[in-house]
């Protein structure tokens, strides 16, 4: 996630698995924010991208959540579950959303959201028999379709 302020200086936030903070610098009244949600795990969808210009007051503290990529469990910040499987496969969770929050760090304080990619379907014994990844976007990534043993 990037935030642009005075003289097009930018600050990039990478995935940490925790919330991060950004304090609007002195003299900055507007930020251009670019955010991308995390991808779903194996067979999952790509995260959404969004760009927005927001008004801020110098000294405001904003909360930054960078979504985590889905794996054998859902990604950080709202990743959806992976699709089911038959046999002894694995689920591949959806990616988490990346978002910016103002006035607090609750979900209701979100002002910019890039949804995570959907979860992948179950994969068994490395076959190409997985279902498709779930729909990306929204507050929580969608679950993937069911896979089978082939």
């Amino acid at each position: 996630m990037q935030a642009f302020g005075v003289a097009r200086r930018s600050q990039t936030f990478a995935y940490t698995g925790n919330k991060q903070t950004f304090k609007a610098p002195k003299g900055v009244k507007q930020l251009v924010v670019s955010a991308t949600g995390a991808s779903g795990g194996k067979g999952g969808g790509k995260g959404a991208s969004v760009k927005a210009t927001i008004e801020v007051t110098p000294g405001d503290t904003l909360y930054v959540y960078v979504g985590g990529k889905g794996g054998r469990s859902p990604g950080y910040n709202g990743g959806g579950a992976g699709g089911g499987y038959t046999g002894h496969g694995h689920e591949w969770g959806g990616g988490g959303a990346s978002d910016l929050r103002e006035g607090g760090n609750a979900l209701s304080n979100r002002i910019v959201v890039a949804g995570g990619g959907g979860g992948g379907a179950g994969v068994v014994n490395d076959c190409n028999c997985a279902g498709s990844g779930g729909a990306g976007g929204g507050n929580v990534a969608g679950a993937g379709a069911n896979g089978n043993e082939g």
Side-chain angles (χ1 to χ4, degrees):
M1 182 176 296
Q2 290 188 319
F4 297 96
V6 174
R8 303 287 300 167
R9 287 184 291 177
S10 69
Q11 183 169 349
T12 301
F13 293 88
Y15 170 74
T16 65
N18 293 296
K19 76 177 177 195
Q20 301 170 65
T21 58
F22 174 81
K23 188 173 183 179
K26 184 177 181 179
V28 173
K29 295 181 180 178
Q30 218 176 47
L31 297 174
V32 177
V33 178
S34 295
T36 302
S39 297
K42 191 172 185 176
K46 293 182 179 181
S49 292
V50 66
K51 187 173 184 177
T53 301
I54 61 168
E55 303 292 324
V56 295
T57 301
D60 279 355
T61 298
L62 303 172
Y63 300 93
V64 179
Y65 289 77
V66 178
K69 182 175 179 174
R72 292 201 177 166
S73 59
Y76 172 76
N77 202 28
Y85 53 85
T86 60
H88 302 287
H90 300 288
E91 296 182 16
W92 298 96
S98 291
D99 68 71
L100 185 65
R101 303 175 193 192
E102 182 177 47
N105 60 7
L107 289 177
S108 60
N109 296 109
R110 287 175 158 181
I111 58 171
V112 176
V113 180
V123 176
V124 179
N125 300 326
D126 295 323
C127 71
N128 290 325
C129 51
S132 60
N139 288 334
V140 178
N146 291 336
N148 59 47
E149 290 191 68

